[in-house]
Amino acid sequence: MSEKSSSKDAVGKEFELRLTPMRRIQKTLYRYPWLSSLAVLISVVLAFGLVNERFLLPSTISLMVQQTVIVGSLALAQSLIILTAGIDLSIGSIMIFGQMVMANMAVFAVASNVTPFAGQNPYLAIIVGILAAAAAGSLNGFLIVRFGLPPFIVTLGTWSVFMGLALIFFKARTIQGPEMPEVMLSLGEGFSVGPFFVTFGLLVMFALYFAVAWVLRNTAWGRHLYAVGDDPIAAKLTGINTNRVLFSVYLVAGLIMGITALITIGRVGSASPNVDPMLNLQSITAAVIGGISLFGGRGAVVGALIGSMIVVAVEMGLSLAGVDQAYRTVAIGVLVIAAVGIDQWIRKVKV
Amino acid sequence: MMEPIVKARGLVKRFGTVTALNGADFDLYPGEVLAVIGDNGAGKSSLIKCFAGAHSADDGSMWVNGEEVTFASTHSARDHGIETVFQTLAVSPALDIASNMFLGRELRKKGFMGTVLRQLDKKGMRLQAAEQLKSLGISTLQDITQAVETLSGGQRQAVAVARAAAFGSQVIILDEPTAALGVRESGKVLDLIKDLKNRGLTVVLISHNMPQVYEVADRIHVQRLGKRAAVVTPKSASMNDAVGIMTGAIDVPESEQQLSPV
């Protein structure tokens, strides 16, 4: 291509858009599907606020935002995978696996006098735990890329495998906060801004979202990830190494799950293999409500953050309204099916 | 005699028990428009996919500009100046026009943001994409940041052709570019092919549409049963003759199967 610098801007101008206001709104919604999720979040919050004024108290909102860290961080990992038209059912169990690895190693280092571990600082334990989760994520990626197995089956299998491994290696024992070096719990600490409490875990989650969103928008890897999710055959024909992209996505997702493990220890105050069994479903729900299409290639990760807040708000709102835990579980199930139904409907309209 | 820009001898490609190419030969000369015609299953697509780097042949040899080559991927074919517009177009519907044109060979910003953080030069890509479309006379596209799925079939085809012509390529292969298009849009694509030829590019056109082939082609490669049955020109053979060779009604002796450039 030639470099006619003088005429470049003039050429660009000819392609500028001239749009009517309606078309502009339509186009904006089409480009930023998470805007409608934001509208849903605001409606949900206002609706619960009308039912119960305690819902809108700064202390409740502060608690809800803190509640979002675990689901929100996992939803980020889930979103990356869903963008490639995959799904990860092992997310919760890989997070627990990473958590058990880092907590046990930290405790062992404090207590033991075995040479390689004795007196090791807990940062090493944290790094090893995060890498263990990343390795678990890459195992998913390896099985999917190398053997062409469907992500659904692979991650259903590894969900069971890593849950089992966490129980075998660590005897299903919950490690209480005080047993661990303080650093392990640091992401649960934080500072107050007015009536709101901001944990370091929350800041880490926001930083992760920012970093991932930037990379997706601004690097070739980000575009290739969308292209692979959109149409893998086309992506391959344009010369994209689709296998490498897919594998790297599962690796990065595993890394995020490992970081979430540390966030969770801080948030919960202990490391337990019995963390919420609904985490997988919640992370999928959050991503899909946030406008990330299960068919791949469409959506922005910021939507998953909004989706996570919706999930947490619905749980909290129902809980404040005195609805039993069992019914809340039903509500989350209904929410995910409804969200997928709407996603499918939107796609039909477009085609 | 002129040296072929792309040459192949005895290409074999099997898919399981099906033999798509059974010792196919191929000659493409610089600056020509070569049409490849053949019945369904004659191996047209398999043949060009070998040159595109999408398939690797099980046997046989290929040369580009006299140098023997093997293509591991579409990347290596491109490195040799061969670009392909696949029948499926190989575009990502949700990505915009500029992103699609640079898919798999994105430009990065200069300096720290580009080399360390690997940030894309989005503005640069948009400008170049717009310039490329304009230089090909494709002015019906208003917005370079429009998602490809919002375009009509002909516009998508134009984007795919512009992408193929954009990167200093020598040879452009078009697989059934008009199959999914209406009459008017087909006409535009044919004009685009003539334009590519006028710019000195070499074009391979795979088509079922005989009138279109006779309108733009300099020579016609007739593929039959996984082999080259004959090469004719629009002047040397009528459409009926070409169809006759294609279906096997007319048998062309081995010695007359190859035809030098016109």
Side-chain angles (χ1 to χ4, degrees), chain B residues 7-30:
Chain B
K7 184 170 111 173
R9 290 292 175 268
L11 290 183
V12 176
K13 180 73 191 171
R14 293 184 200 90
F15 299 97
T17 55
V18 179
T19 302
L21 293 177
N22 188 15
D25 297 341
F26 184 80
D27 292 281
L28 177 68
Y29 293 96

Side-chain angles (χ1 to χ4, degrees), chain A residues 25-302:
Chain A
I25 291 170
Q26 187 194 11
K27 192 170 165 172
T28 310
L29 278 178
Y30 173 81
R31 266 206 193 157
Y32 307 105
W34 54 269
L35 277 179
S36 36
S37 315
L38 192 61
V40 171
L41 176 63
I42 293 168
S43 323
V44 166
V45 169
L46 289 180
F48 280 121
L50 283 178
V51 174
N52 187 334
E53 71 235 15
R54 273 200 299 150
F55 189 80
L56 289 179
L57 288 178
S59 58
T60 318
I61 290 181
S62 175
L63 183 61
M64 276 198 292
V65 173
Q66 288 170 51
Q67 298 271 42
T68 309
V69 283
I70 302 175
V71 182
S73 307
L74 289 181
L76 178 63
Q78 188 69 267
S79 301
L80 284 174
I81 289 165
I82 292 182
L83 279 174
T84 66
I87 191 113
D88 194 336
L89 303 176
S90 65
I91 247 175
S93 95
I94 288 181
M95 191 272 279
I96 289 167
F97 179 70
Q99 185 179 286
M100 296 315 283
V101 168
M102 65 175 76
N104 279 280
M105 196 173 153
V107 169
F108 192 63
V110 170
S112 94
N113 45 20
V114 182
T115 349
F117 298 105
Q120 282 294 345
N121 73 46
Y123 292 106
L124 185 68
I126 292 173
I127 291 170
V128 171
I130 292 174
L131 291 180
S138 353
L139 176 67
N140 281 338
F142 174 76
L143 292 171
I144 290 163
V145 166
R146 181 68 182 79
F147 300 108
L149 299 171
F152 183 90
I153 293 302
V154 167
T155 58
L156 187 63
T158 53
W159 166 67
S160 183
V161 167
F162 286 107
M163 183 59 86
L165 287 180
L167 295 177
I168 293 166
F169 289 159
F170 309 116
K171 315 265 185 304
R173 197 177 76 84
T174 298
I175 295 177
Q176 300 300 340
E179 294 177 61
M180 286 183 269
E182 271 177 36
V183 191
M184 300 291 297
L185 299 159
S186 58
L187 292 187
E189 289 157 19
F191 50 90
S192 293
V193 181
F196 301 104
F197 189 66
V198 179
T199 61
F200 295 119
L202 196 62
L203 297 182
V204 169
M205 179 189 77
F206 283 132
L208 283 175
Y209 266 94
F210 180 80
V212 170
W214 191 90
V215 166
L216 286 182
R217 284 186 64 81
N218 288 294
T219 67
W221 184 76
R223 294 226 167 138
H224 295 175
L225 192 154
Y226 278 91
V228 167
D230 208 4
D231 187 341
I233 297 167
K236 194 164 195 161
L237 286 177
T238 53
I240 294 172
N241 187 336
T242 50
N243 281 346
R244 201 165 64 190
V245 172
L246 269 183
F247 179 79
S248 66
V249 167
Y250 282 89
L251 173 71
V252 170
L255 212 55
I256 295 173
M257 292 172 218
I259 296 169
T260 312
L262 188 63
I263 295 177
T264 308
I265 293 177
R267 170 80 198 125
V268 179
S270 62
S272 160
N274 310 313
V275 186
D276 193 348
M278 301 297 288
L279 281 175
N280 284 329
L281 192 57
Q282 287 179 346
S283 70
I284 296 169
T285 313
V288 176
I289 295 179
I292 294 171
S293 171
L294 274 180
F295 301 94
R298 278 144 227 265
V301 287
V302 63

Side-chain angles (χ1 to χ4, degrees), chain A residues 1-4 7-9 11-19 23 27 30-31 214 217-220 223-224 226-228 230-231 233-240 297-298 350, chain B residues 54 74-75 78 86 88 90-95 99 102-104 106 113 117-120 122 125 127-128 130-134 138 141-147 149-150 163 166:
Chain A
M1 221 174 287
S2 63
E3 292 281 328
K4 279 173 269 169
S7 65
K8 261 190 178 176
D9 284 326
V11 172
K13 282 266 154 46
E14 284 196 12
F15 288 88
E16 299 241 303
L17 33 151
R18 284 181 303 271
L19 297 173
R23 175 92 177 91
K27 192 170 165 172
Y30 173 81
R31 266 206 193 157
W214 191 90
R217 284 186 64 81
N218 288 294
T219 67
R223 294 226 167 138
H224 295 175
Y226 278 91
V228 167
D230 208 4
D231 187 341
I233 297 167
K236 194 164 195 161
L237 286 177
T238 53
I240 294 172
R298 278 144 227 265
K350 291 215 179 95
Chain B
T74 50
H75 257 310
R78 284 178 184 170
F86 294 96
T88 55
V91 290
S92 270
L95 294 180
S99 304
F102 283 89
L103 200 57
E106 287 83 358
M113 291 309 278
L117 294 180
R118 304 180 151 255
Q119 186 175 17
L120 296 174
K122 290 193 220 171
M125 289 194 282
L127 286 171
Q128 286 195 24
E131 197 172 336
Q132 178 67 20
L133 287 170
K134 199 189 172 207
I138 303 160
L141 301 168
Q142 284 174 357
D143 181 5
I144 202 84
T145 63
Q146 211 173 339
E149 66 192 343
T150 63
R163 171 169 74 184

Side-chain angles (χ1 to χ4, degrees), chain A residues 237, chain B residues 44-45 48-49 84-90 157 173-180 206 208:
Chain A
L237 286 177
Chain B
K44 305 184 295 281
S45 279
I48 61 105
K49 278 189 175 154
T84 309
V85 179
F86 294 96
Q87 194 169 0
T88 55
L89 301 184
Q157 190 80 47
I173 302 172
L174 299 141
D175 191 359
E176 305 266 8
T178 59
I206 292 142
H208 266 116

